[in-house]
Amino acid sequence: MPNAVIGITCRKDIKNNWNYIPEQYVKAVETTGGIPLLIPLLESKECIKEVAKKIDGLLLSGGSDINPVLYKEKVTKWIRKVDTIRDAFEIYITKIAILLGLPILGICRGCQILNVAAGGTLNQHILRHWQKKPVDCKTHEIEIKKGTLLFDAIGKEQVKVNSFHHQSIKTLAPEFKVSAVANNGIIEAIEHKAHKFVLGIQFHAEYLWQNDCSFKNIFSKFVDSCARGATYYEKI
C-alpha cells in the first residue's frame, strides 16, 4: 500500500496559463509505490512552507533554463526561455526541503536547481548534450562513482543514458559531491554529503524506467527513502 506522498514540481504553459507535468513523472512515482502530488508554481513563501511540511519527499522536474542572475552571472545570448516564478519557487522549496530533511530527487533542470539553491553555478551553454533521437533512447555513456546513491540504484559503473540539456553544473555547491560524469567531463549526477537521499541526475530517467529496471531502481530507492521518513526535522 503506498504510504509516501511525493510532491512533484510543475512547469507552466504561459500561453494557456496551465500548470502541468509530463505523466512519466507521475507514473514512475506511482509504479514504485509513492503517492504523486503535483505542486503548482506557488509564490507565497508561507504556502510553500506548508506544502513542504505535508509531503514526504520532493521530485524536482525538468524544464527550461534557470536565470543566471540567481547564481550571480550575466545573462548571455545562450539563455533560452526562463520562468522567474518557477525559479524562485523551486529554489525556495528546495531549501525548505533540505532544512526539513526530506528526500529529494532532481531530474535534469531539477539537478541544476539543487546545485544553484545550495550556492553552485552553471555553464550557460554546452555542446553535444541535446540528442535528436527519441526521449527513451540512450545516446551517451556516463561513469558512476562507487559508494554513491546512484551506484546503489544502478549497480554499474558505466551506463548509457538519454540527454536533453544545454546547461550543466559548473561550480559544484559545497554541500554536494559528484556521483557521475560523462566522458567529456560534464557532471551527470550529484548528491548531498549529509542527507540520506538528496540526488540530482542530469538525464531523464522518467523516460527510461519502463524498459530498464536499473532506472526504475532510482525511483524505487527514492520512494523507499521517502516512506522511511526525513533525515531530521529542523523547525522553520
Side-chain angles (χ1 to χ4, degrees):
M1 179 69 68
N3 61 358
V5 176
I6 314 298
I8 307 174
T9 60
C10 286
R11 60 186 69 169
K12 188 170 184 178
D13 181 328
I14 297 175
K15 180 181 178 181
N16 295 297
N17 206 29
W18 294 339
N19 277 243
Y20 74 99
I21 196 70
E23 69 173 357
Q24 286 86 352
Y25 291 97
V26 174
K27 293 296 184 183
V29 169
E30 182 184 21
T31 302
T32 53
I35 302 171
L37 176 68
L38 303 191
I39 309 176
L41 305 188
L42 303 171
E43 297 185 62
S44 163
K45 288 188 175 181
E46 288 305 313
C47 188
I48 294 169
K49 282 183 184 179
E50 290 306 311
V51 169
K53 291 176 183 178
K54 289 176 171 60
I55 59 177
D56 300 301
L58 177 66
L59 198 165
L60 297 165
S61 61
S64 58
D65 292 353
I66 299 168
N67 194 327
V69 172
L70 295 169
Y71 47 92
K72 297 180 174 61
E73 290 191 6
K74 293 181 179 180
V75 178
T76 69
K77 65 178 182 179
W78 301 110
I79 293 299
R80 301 170 185 174
K81 182 177 66 174
V82 297
D83 185 335
T84 55
I85 293 175
R86 184 180 182 187
D87 287 344
F89 158 65
E90 288 191 325
I91 286 174
Y92 190 70
I93 198 170
T94 295
K95 289 178 177 179
I96 296 301
I98 288 175
L99 283 175
L100 294 175
L102 295 177
I104 305 173
L105 176 61
I107 295 179
C108 196
R109 170 192 160 93
C111 177
Q112 297 167 11
I113 283 286
L114 281 172
N115 191 55
V116 172
T121 66
L122 304 178
N123 295 304
Q124 293 190 35
H125 185 66
I126 59 171
L127 300 175
R128 299 187 300 277
H129 275 260
W130 195 288
Q131 70 188 48
K132 295 181 180 180
K133 291 187 177 181
V135 291
D136 58 349
C137 287
K138 305 169 192 174
T139 57
H140 77 89
E141 195 169 76
I142 64 172
E143 183 172 344
I144 303 171
K145 296 187 177 184
K146 286 186 175 181
T148 61
L149 291 171
L150 189 58
F151 183 84
D152 185 45
I154 300 288
K156 305 173 188 176
E157 290 185 75
Q158 284 87 30
V159 67
K160 271 195 167 184
V161 298
N162 53 4
S163 190
F164 293 94
H165 64 106
H166 83 106
Q167 294 187 311
S168 67
I169 291 171
K170 181 166 69 174
T171 303
L172 186 65
E175 299 171 20
F176 283 82
K177 63 181 180 181
V178 175
S179 304
V181 295
N183 57 14
N184 60 357
I186 296 296
I187 294 174
E188 288 284 340
I190 62 173
E191 63 185 71
H192 201 279
K193 294 176 181 178
H195 289 259
K196 66 180 180 181
F197 200 109
V198 174
L199 172 66
I201 55 175
Q202 190 60 72
F203 53 92
H204 284 270
E206 76 277 14
Y207 293 119
L208 302 175
W209 66 271
Q210 294 188 66
N211 297 316
D212 190 329
C213 64
S214 296
F215 297 100
K216 186 175 181 179
N217 283 343
I218 296 173
F219 293 98
S220 296
K221 296 281 185 183
F222 170 54
V223 170
D224 181 62
S225 184
C226 296
R228 286 185 279 117
T231 307
Y232 59 90
Y233 183 92
E234 182 171 324
K235 190 173 181 180
I236 58 172

